[in-house]
Amino acid sequence: MDNQSQEASGILTTHGLTKDFKGFTAVKDINLTVRKGTIHAIIGPNGAGKTTFFNLLTKFLTPTSGQIIYDGHDITRRKPADIAQQGLIRSFQISAVFPHLSARDNVRIALQRKLGVSYHFWRPTRILDQLNERAQALLEQVGLKEFGGIAAVELPYGQKRALEIATTIALEPRLMLLDEPTQGMSAEDVGTVTDLIQKVLEGRTIVMVEHNLNVVSTLADTITVLNRGEVLAEGNYETVSKNPAVMEAYMGTTDEQ
């Protein structure tokens, strides 16, 4: 598929994306297409290049070569804040909410951008009160209806991640990039967050790095498997899970140490 065809079919595409670190190639010549309205998972064994590739997509790293196209625009050299304004929003592996603010206030801060009053903390509180209804609706959407007044630090880990998703949605993303959304969770919390991601997908596209293959098999429409910085396989879960090269990469062999 040529570049024009890829860009026509995908909200996010990469062409020959490569990242070198002092002679070590962490990501090599990756061509990827993320289709609008889908969940696209990036998986691979330890050291596969997932984190580096994700950081390239979210502009926390600049590629050595290659190109990133988002919504028809070249964002290869753009800054994270610039692409966030275009609706490409990243959710971090470690919960990034304000721990000593209430759940509702965390969401209200995210909503401030729509009012154009971000960082204007000296403004009268009535200006922010108009956000209460929307903040409460977002809390309800992620299962935190009864926890609006609770400080984020007091929420269990799974609910913190739900709150982070609420604040991400408040930024009205067109493309959500989730970094290991279920890492460190109990089985119960994994199920809750998996259901939540499915629920919030409507009208959005999600790219996620995820180690839990049960989550991937439940959520992902398309899976890209990386190994040693390169694309090893791509397709739906049934296709990639039966791929001999993928099975070998995950199981490991003595000469891969």
Side-chain angles (χ1 to χ4, degrees):
M1 181 182 293
D2 60 28
N3 287 357
Q4 288 185 342
S5 297
Q6 282 189 322
E7 290 164 14
S9 62
I11 189 171
L12 181 72
T13 62
T14 68
H15 308 301
L17 204 62
T18 298
K19 182 63 178 180
D20 294 325
F21 293 100
K22 296 182 179 179
F24 170 70
T25 301
V27 168
K28 182 179 179 181
D29 195 30
I30 292 183
N31 299 305
L32 180 83
T33 297
V34 177
R35 291 178 291 115
K36 185 177 181 180
T38 65
I39 298 180
H40 195 124
I42 309 296
I43 69 170
N46 291 336
K50 302 185 301 295
T51 298
T52 300
F53 182 60
F54 195 80
N55 285 333
L56 290 169
L57 293 181
T58 54
K59 311 311 303 140
F60 283 78
L61 286 175
T62 300
T64 304
S65 61
Q67 189 178 36
I68 305 171
I69 305 296
Y70 167 64
D71 196 26
H73 301 283
D74 188 335
I75 63 166
T76 310
R77 305 294 168 181
R78 301 292 295 274
K79 296 180 180 179
D82 294 335
I83 62 171
Q85 291 179 350
Q86 297 177 32
L88 195 158
I89 307 294
R90 173 177 180 166
S91 176
F92 285 87
Q93 182 175 359
I94 300 173
S95 185
V97 296
F98 294 99
H100 298 294
L101 293 181
S102 70
R104 184 178 298 107
D105 283 344
N106 268 281
V107 177
R108 290 204 313 175
I109 287 174
L111 288 168
Q112 283 185 55
R113 193 183 75 169
K114 290 177 61 180
L115 293 182
V117 295
S118 298
Y119 311 113
H120 295 184
F121 295 109
W122 61 86
R123 293 286 186 92
T125 57
R126 65 178 180 274
I127 293 178
L128 299 183
D129 285 344
Q130 64 183 288
L131 300 175
N132 286 344
E133 184 175 347
R134 175 59 177 155
Q136 185 61 31
L138 286 170
L139 290 173
E140 291 183 22
Q141 188 175 354
V142 299
L144 297 178
K145 178 180 179 180
E146 308 297 331
F147 298 92
I150 305 297
V153 70
E154 297 177 12
L155 295 173
Y157 183 67
Q159 291 182 340
K160 283 191 180 74
R161 297 313 302 263
L163 176 59
E164 183 180 341
I165 290 174
T167 60
T168 303
I169 297 171
L171 296 173
E172 298 187 347
R174 296 186 60 217
L175 175 59
M176 296 172 64
L177 297 124
L178 306 181
D179 187 7
E180 297 277 13
T182 68
Q183 185 174 35
M185 290 186 179
S186 66
E188 181 179 357
D189 284 339
V190 167
T192 298
V193 171
T194 300
D195 291 342
L196 178 57
I197 292 172
Q198 286 180 309
K199 183 178 179 181
V200 303
L201 174 62
E202 184 176 358
R204 300 182 178 91
T205 306
I206 294 176
V207 176
M208 60 189 295
V209 171
E210 178 56 58
H211 70 285
N212 188 320
L213 295 184
N214 288 329
V215 173
V216 171
S217 66
T218 300
L219 290 177
D221 300 293
T222 304
I223 301 165
T224 298
V225 185
L226 300 185
N227 191 38
R228 297 178 177 178
E230 299 184 70
V231 174
L232 184 63
E234 188 170 274
N236 59 26
Y237 184 77
E238 182 179 5
T239 299
V240 301
S241 64
K242 294 179 179 178
N243 186 305
V246 173
M247 296 172 66
E248 181 179 353
Y250 269 93
M251 296 300 292
T253 59
T254 54
D255 63 358
E256 288 181 344
Q257 301 304 314

